[in-house]
Amino acid sequence: MVEIGNAAPSFELPSENGNVSLSDFKGKWLVLYFYPKDDTSGCTKEAIGFSEQLDAFREAGAEVLGVSKDSVAKHQKFREKHDLTVPLASDEGGDIIDLYGVWVEKSMYGKTYMGIERATFLIDPEGVVREIWRKVRVPGHVDKVLKALTDHAG
């Protein structure tokens, strides 16, 4: 389980712009967010929120990257449909999702199943996890992450 103060687990994942890795963000802050599925209501609202605030994150010295098990092609359709600017990476095999501890047992309508917990990790320019939000509720989340970033980054 990743905890605050730990080195962020390394990753390399495919995205619509080629492979993306943790090392690509060395020297910058990274907001790494995991979400269950493209084009569902909560995930769409979250992606739109990060897209709308992407310039503010970049002004504060951070990049934002969303990750789910959806394919790169599905991510591309999702981005086009909702005019998203936030980059999305695909972890179809779930290795990185598992590494970050966000593959969890969930329940809906009395049935349990495994799925991605909506979670966000704030990683500093040296690759250290500075904040973690688990079981994220979408309303107000992007603003909380941006505030934490500006508090840490100064």
Side-chain angles (χ1 to χ4, degrees):
M1 184 70 80
V2 177
E3 295 181 16
I4 292 172
N6 289 162
S10 186
F11 64 84
E12 183 169 349
L13 294 169
S15 76
E16 65 273 9
N17 297 319
N19 283 358
V20 62
S21 67
L22 181 62
S23 61
D24 294 342
F25 301 99
K26 186 148 182 68
K28 293 182 180 180
W29 287 85
L30 174 62
V31 175
L32 181 64
Y33 79 96
F34 294 88
Y35 65 98
K37 195 168 175 54
D38 287 347
D39 224 10
T40 56
S41 65
C43 298
T44 300
K45 287 175 187 158
E46 185 176 30
I48 289 170
F50 276 120
S51 290
E52 287 174 347
Q53 294 290 338
L54 190 56
D55 287 343
F57 279 100
R58 287 181 172 160
E59 284 171 21
E63 291 295 327
V64 179
L65 179 65
V67 178
S68 78
K69 290 183 97 172
D70 292 306
S71 68
V72 170
K74 192 154 188 259
H75 282 337
Q76 190 62 37
K77 288 179 187 170
F78 180 46
R79 286 179 50 123
E80 289 170 7
K81 180 176 180 182
H82 298 286
D83 295 320
L84 302 175
T85 55
V86 67
L88 303 174
S90 174
D91 186 14
E92 288 186 84
D95 294 339
I96 306 309
I97 289 164
D98 202 37
L99 205 55
Y100 276 80
V102 296
W103 187 248
V104 299
E105 187 174 278
K106 300 170 100 177
S107 65
M108 186 183 297
Y109 307 120
K111 295 189 185 230
T112 58
Y113 63 97
M114 296 301 289
I116 298 173
E117 172 184 61
R118 190 181 309 280
T120 303
F121 297 80
L122 180 61
I123 301 168
D124 76 12
E126 302 303 314
V128 176
V129 177
R130 293 296 170 199
E131 296 283 344
I132 301 172
W133 294 265
R134 295 190 178 275
K135 297 183 181 173
V136 166
R137 300 276 180 246
V138 174
H141 177 63
V142 172
D143 292 333
K144 287 178 193 167
V145 176
L146 186 56
K147 181 177 181 338
L149 168 67
T150 55
D151 287 350
H152 281 286

